[in-house]
């Protein structure tokens, strides 16, 4: 077949039970849903029958595909001549070990079904062509239906065959099978509308053209010649497409269908039970045989429609208790929802009150947005004060440098006096010893001053860090303007921290001032001792230099300037003190009086 003529990916009318070629018709979809529902509900035995070629095998393949891994599905497709072959087929369907006796089959299968029951997995056995099973196989089938738990059958069985199978179960021995049938579904031949939908669906699955390939009269004749049997429809439509592709025809009309040779044309007499002896037809009625056949066909169609209507009515009656149960369930749900709706109404009213309060809070929030501006001004003023403190610290450092220079000059003069006194060490031993003690004390005071200077440098670095972090605090203040309360708390905390650090710096400055005063007092006492020694000396001595130590400036001016200049000044001060240590001798000889 030239598929390019109709732009199809493959043959649209293959006669294989391919689930991908399933056309969703109402009757087939309903049959598939009913069978799946019976298996999901663990109803036990179901029957699917219909004329040959109506799609029973395709329904079973789709059912297996739908169940997937939620059920263990076994399908028996091969014919079984005796009970031994039937037992082997059952074991092979579930991939169990082969047994030789019926008893072993029952025990093996029962253990397998119990394991699946414990795992909540349905065991499904699909038996095709059940109408061909011998009588002893039906007895085994009856025993299989007795595998039951307390709440459900252990084995879900689907019997697939011809319609005369159920008609043959009319004896007392077959009553157990007939009574356990939960659903009996019969696939009827397709009507003319279903045939048209089926043909269009198969062409659409094969990616055929959207426009119709078959005319309405062609659909009518196809339905009449095939009797609505999907297998015969596939065979006839496949031949028609081959013929149309050969003749380069894009539309198949009724004339082409009428003239097409088709050996498998539907004959109702072939599918009906053959009577024991057919009545003879009078010669006078031979002329009216065609009319009788047409009437018979119409009557059969009406009977089929009535059967479908009756089946739908029965299904509706069967579903009526479930629908009533659902209605009662909906009433209970509605009864539960009424207090929930009332509670929701109450929550709605509460939400309105909360919304009103939120609006009031929004107004207060808008009023508070103006407060951060004053806070920013306060922080700016604090920054100016901190900068002023830094200026004072810078001036204090300059003063400390001057004081250090004066100390160096005083220490140089003291060194000169010590040199002069070394010649008269014998006479001035007590004074020299006292001078040594004073020098040691001066060194200790120098160490204390060095520690205080280090602390002062740390305080200066902290103040500088605060100055540098002040713009970040200002930016953070602008970011948190949306939450004024939190901003006020943070600013208050920052203000407290700044005040604490400023107070700590002032305390450190006071300690430095006291240390400097003690150092100046010590130098003055040293000068007085030197003067006393000079006055007691017979040799002329060099007059002592007047005290030129300037009064130190307030300590709060020591933390002014940028961190680099302050660190440089502190290093200079340390180097001057170290040079002062080097000038002072480590050990002074003690003279005798």
């Amino acid at each position: 077949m030239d598929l390019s003529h109709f732009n199809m990916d493959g043959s649209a009318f293959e006669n294989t039970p391919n689930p991908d070629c399933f056309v969703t018709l109402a009757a087939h979809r309903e049959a598939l849903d009913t069978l799946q529902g019976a298996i999901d509900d663990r109803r036990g035995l179901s029957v699917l029958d219909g004329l040959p070629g109506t799609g029973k095998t395709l329904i079973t393949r789709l059912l297996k595909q739908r169940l997937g891994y939620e059920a263990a599905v076994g399908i028996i497709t091969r014919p079984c001549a005796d009970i031994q072959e039937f037992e082997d087929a059952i074991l092979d369907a579930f991939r169990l070990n082969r047994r030789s006796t019926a008893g072993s089959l029952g025990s093996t299968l029962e253990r397998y079904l119990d394991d699946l029951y414990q795992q909540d997995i349905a065991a499904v056995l699909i038996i095709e062509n059940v109408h061909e099973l011998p009588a002893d196989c039906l007895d085994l089938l009856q025993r299989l239906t007795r595998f039951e738990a307390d709440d459900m059958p252990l084995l879900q069985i689907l019997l697939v065959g011809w319609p005369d199978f159920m008609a043959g179960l009319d004896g007392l021995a077959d009553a157990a099978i007939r009574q356990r049938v939960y659903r009996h579904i019969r696939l009827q031949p397709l009507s003319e509308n279903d045939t048209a939908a089926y043909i269009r669906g198969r062409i659409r699955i094969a990616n055929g053209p959207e426009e119709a390939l078959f005319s309405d009269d062609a659909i009518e004749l196809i339905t009449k010649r095939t009797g609505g049997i999907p297998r015969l429809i596939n065979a006839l439509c496949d031949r028609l497409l081959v013929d149309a592709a050969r003749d380069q025809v894009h539309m198949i009309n009724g004339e082409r269908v009428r003239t097409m040779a088709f050996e498998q044309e539907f004959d109702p007499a072939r599918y009906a039970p053959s009577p024991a002896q057919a009545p003879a037809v009078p010669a006078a009625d031979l002329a009216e045989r065609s009319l009788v056949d047409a009437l018979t066909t119409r009557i059969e169609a009406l009977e089929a429609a009535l059967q479908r209507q009756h089946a739908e009515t029965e299904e509706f009656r069967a579903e009526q208790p479930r629908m009533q149960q659902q209605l009662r369930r909906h009433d209970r749900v509605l009864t539960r929802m009424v207090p929930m709706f009332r509670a929701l109404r109450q929550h709605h009213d509460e939400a309105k009150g909360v919304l009103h309060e939120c609006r009031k809070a929004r107004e207060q929030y808008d009023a508070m947005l103006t407060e951060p501006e004053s806070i920013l001004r306060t922080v700016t003023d604090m920054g100016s004060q901190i900068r002023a403190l830094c200026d004072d610290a810078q001036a204090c450092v300059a003063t400390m440098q001057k004081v250090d220079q004066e100390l160096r000059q005083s220490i140089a003069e003291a060194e000169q006096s010590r040199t002069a006194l070394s010649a008269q060490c014998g006479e001035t031993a007590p004074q020299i010893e006292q001078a040594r003690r004073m020098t040691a004390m001066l060194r200790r005071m120098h160490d204390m001053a060095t520690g205080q200077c280090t602390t002062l440098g740390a305080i200066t670095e902290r103040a500088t860090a605060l100055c540098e972090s002040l713009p970040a605090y200002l930016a953070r203040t602008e970011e948190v303007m949306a939450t004024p309360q939190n901003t006020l708390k943070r600013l208050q905390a920052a203000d407290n921290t700044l005040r604490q650090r400023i107070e700590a710096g002032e305390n450190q400055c006071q300690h430095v001032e006291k240390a400097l005063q003690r150092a100046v007092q010590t130098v003055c006492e040293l000068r007085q001792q030197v003067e006393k020694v000079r006055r007691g000396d017979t040799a002329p001595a060099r007059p002592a230099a007047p005290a030129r130590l300037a009064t130190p400036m307030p300590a709060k001016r020591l933390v002014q300037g940028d961190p680099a200049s302050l660190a440089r000044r502190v290093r200079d001060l340390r180097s001057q003190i170290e040079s002062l240590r080097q000038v002072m001798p480590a050990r002074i000889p003690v003279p005798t009086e």
Side-chain angles (χ1 to χ4, degrees):
M1 178 179 177
D2 188 8
L3 302 177
S4 61
H5 179 69
F6 296 105
N7 296 324
M8 294 184 184
D9 295 340
S11 179
F13 297 98
E14 291 182 354
N15 262 328
T16 56
N18 186 2
D20 295 335
C21 297
F22 175 70
V23 179
T24 306
L25 300 177
H28 292 179
R29 182 180 64 250
E30 184 178 359
L32 188 59
D33 294 340
T34 303
L35 293 176
Q36 186 176 4
I39 293 174
D40 293 339
D41 296 339
R42 308 294 197 275
R43 294 297 185 177
L45 183 60
S46 300
V47 177
L48 174 65
D49 61 9
L51 297 176
T54 52
K56 300 184 296 297
T57 304
L58 181 58
I59 292 295
T60 59
R61 299 301 186 272
L62 283 170
L63 180 62
K64 181 179 179 181
Q65 188 180 57
R66 276 194 180 186
L67 294 176
Y69 296 102
E70 298 179 357
V73 182
I75 302 178
I76 299 177
T77 59
R78 68 174 186 261
C80 301
D82 54 14
I83 189 172
Q84 184 64 39
E85 293 185 3
F86 189 48
E87 292 177 357
D88 294 341
I90 293 174
L91 294 174
D92 291 341
F94 289 112
R95 294 183 176 85
L96 300 176
N97 295 330
R98 295 179 179 273
R99 301 296 181 185
S100 59
T101 62
S104 62
L105 169 69
S107 59
T108 302
L109 187 59
E110 188 173 7
R111 287 194 299 270
Y112 176 70
L113 296 178
D114 287 337
D115 293 339
L116 294 180
Y117 175 74
Q118 296 298 329
Q119 301 175 20
D120 195 19
I121 298 177
V124 183
L125 178 62
I126 301 175
I127 305 174
E128 297 182 353
N129 300 321
V130 69
H131 54 276
E132 298 178 353
L133 290 177
D136 53 353
C137 293
L138 294 179
D139 294 338
L140 177 59
L141 181 62
Q142 180 181 351
R143 292 196 300 270
L144 293 178
T145 58
R146 298 175 185 172
F147 289 158
E148 296 178 343
D150 295 337
D151 55 346
M152 66 178 67
L154 294 179
L155 182 61
Q156 314 301 317
I157 303 175
L158 175 60
L159 303 179
V160 183
W162 290 355
D164 55 355
F165 168 71
M166 291 300 296
L169 298 177
D170 54 354
L172 183 61
D174 301 325
I177 297 178
R178 190 170 57 253
Q179 292 173 2
R180 283 185 169 87
V181 174
Y182 173 70
R183 282 287 184 268
H184 180 199
I185 303 171
R186 176 162 295 175
L187 296 180
Q188 300 293 341
L190 304 181
S191 63
E192 183 177 343
N193 293 332
D194 290 341
T195 301
Y198 177 77
I199 293 174
R200 288 194 298 269
R202 293 298 292 260
I203 294 175
R204 183 175 61 254
I205 292 173
N207 294 327
E210 295 293 336
E211 60 273 7
L213 296 179
F214 295 85
S215 61
D216 295 339
D217 55 346
I219 297 294
E220 181 180 359
L221 288 175
I222 290 173
T223 305
K224 183 177 180 180
R225 296 191 66 178
T226 60
I229 305 297
R231 185 180 296 166
L232 301 181
I233 294 174
N234 291 338
L236 181 57
C237 290
D238 189 69
R239 290 191 181 185
L240 290 171
L241 288 179
V242 172
D243 186 69
R246 184 180 62 250
D247 297 341
Q248 298 296 316
V249 176
H250 295 279
M251 172 64 73
I252 300 173
N253 53 19
E255 183 63 25
R256 184 174 291 274
V257 176
R258 186 180 297 107
T259 58
M260 173 60 62
F262 187 58
E263 299 81 4
Q264 302 176 2
E265 191 163 352
F266 178 76
D267 186 3
R270 296 181 181 177
Y271 296 93
S274 59
Q277 185 177 0
V281 180
D285 295 338
L286 291 176
E288 299 179 357
R289 187 178 184 117
S290 60
L291 180 60
V292 173
D293 293 339
L295 291 175
T296 303
T297 304
R298 296 290 298 276
I299 291 171
E300 290 177 354
L302 291 174
E303 289 178 352
L306 288 175
Q307 290 178 358
R308 287 196 299 271
Q309 187 68 27
H310 179 70
E312 293 177 357
T313 304
E314 292 296 331
E315 291 178 359
F316 177 75
R317 289 178 181 176
E319 293 292 333
Q320 188 174 4
R322 186 177 62 83
M323 295 174 63
Q324 292 177 356
Q325 184 180 2
Q326 290 182 355
L327 288 175
R328 290 193 295 270
R329 187 183 303 168
H330 292 165
D331 292 338
R332 292 194 298 269
V333 172
L334 183 61
T335 305
R336 295 175 183 174
M337 289 180 64
V338 168
M340 294 174 62
F341 179 75
R342 293 175 181 172
L344 183 62
R345 200 70 174 272
Q346 184 178 0
H347 290 316
H348 179 68
D349 297 337
E350 293 177 358
K352 285 185 178 179
V354 172
L355 180 61
H356 183 67
E357 294 178 358
C358 289
R359 289 177 179 174
K360 290 183 178 180
R362 177 61 184 273
E363 294 177 357
Q364 296 177 0
Y365 167 75
D366 293 337
M368 293 174 64
L369 286 177
T370 56
E371 295 183 3
E373 296 179 358
S374 60
I375 294 173
L376 289 174
R377 288 194 296 270
T378 304
V379 173
T380 304
D381 297 338
M382 292 173 61
S384 301
Q385 295 177 2
I386 292 174
R387 291 190 181 91
L389 291 175
C390 292
D391 295 337
D392 295 340
Q394 186 176 5
C396 185
V397 169
T399 305
M400 288 288 294
Q401 291 178 356
K402 293 179 181 180
V403 170
D404 181 67
Q405 292 178 358
E406 293 177 355
L407 286 174
R408 290 182 64 184
Q409 293 177 0
S410 300
I411 290 171
E413 293 175 355
E415 180 65 21
Q416 293 176 359
S417 300
R418 186 191 64 79
T419 305
L421 290 175
S422 297
Q424 303 175 359
C425 58
E427 299 177 356
T428 59
Q431 289 82 3
I432 294 299
E433 185 65 22
Q434 187 177 2
R436 289 180 62 187
R437 288 195 298 269
M438 294 301 296
T439 303
M441 184 182 297
L442 183 60
R443 288 180 178 178
R444 289 195 296 270
M445 295 299 296
H446 174 265
D447 295 337
M448 292 176 61
T450 304
Q452 295 296 331
C453 290
T454 304
T455 305
L456 182 61
I459 295 173
T460 304
E461 291 178 357
R462 290 181 183 178
T464 305
L466 288 175
C467 292
E468 293 177 355
S469 62
L470 184 61
Y473 286 135
L474 294 176
R476 189 179 301 172
T477 303
E478 293 177 356
E479 291 178 357
V480 298
M481 287 178 66
T483 54
Q485 296 179 355
N486 296 333
T487 305
L488 288 174
K489 293 179 180 180
R490 293 178 181 177
L491 290 176
Q492 290 176 359
D495 181 66
N496 294 332
T497 304
L498 289 174
R499 292 178 182 275
Q500 293 174 0
R501 293 180 178 179
I502 290 173
E503 291 176 359
E506 291 178 354
N507 294 331
Q508 296 293 336
C509 292
Q510 292 176 3
H511 289 308
V512 171
E513 289 177 356
K514 291 179 180 180
L516 293 176
Q517 291 176 1
R518 285 195 297 270
V520 171
Q521 184 177 1
T522 302
V523 171
C524 292
E525 292 177 355
L526 180 61
R527 288 182 176 178
Q528 292 177 2
Q529 294 294 332
V530 171
E531 290 294 334
K532 289 181 181 180
V533 171
R534 288 181 178 179
R535 285 194 298 270
D537 192 5
T538 55
R542 185 179 178 181
R548 290 179 294 177
L549 293 176
T551 303
M553 295 181 68
K556 65 181 180 179
R557 294 184 180 179
L558 294 174
V559 293
Q560 184 179 7
D562 54 338
S565 60
L566 291 176
R568 186 172 59 254
R569 292 168 182 172
V570 170
R571 287 195 300 268
D572 296 337
L573 183 58
R574 288 179 179 177
S575 61
Q576 294 172 5
I577 293 173
E578 188 66 24
S579 62
L580 182 61
R581 288 181 179 179
Q582 294 176 1
V583 170
M584 296 296 295
R587 183 176 297 177
I588 301 175
V590 180
T592 58
E593 293 182 357

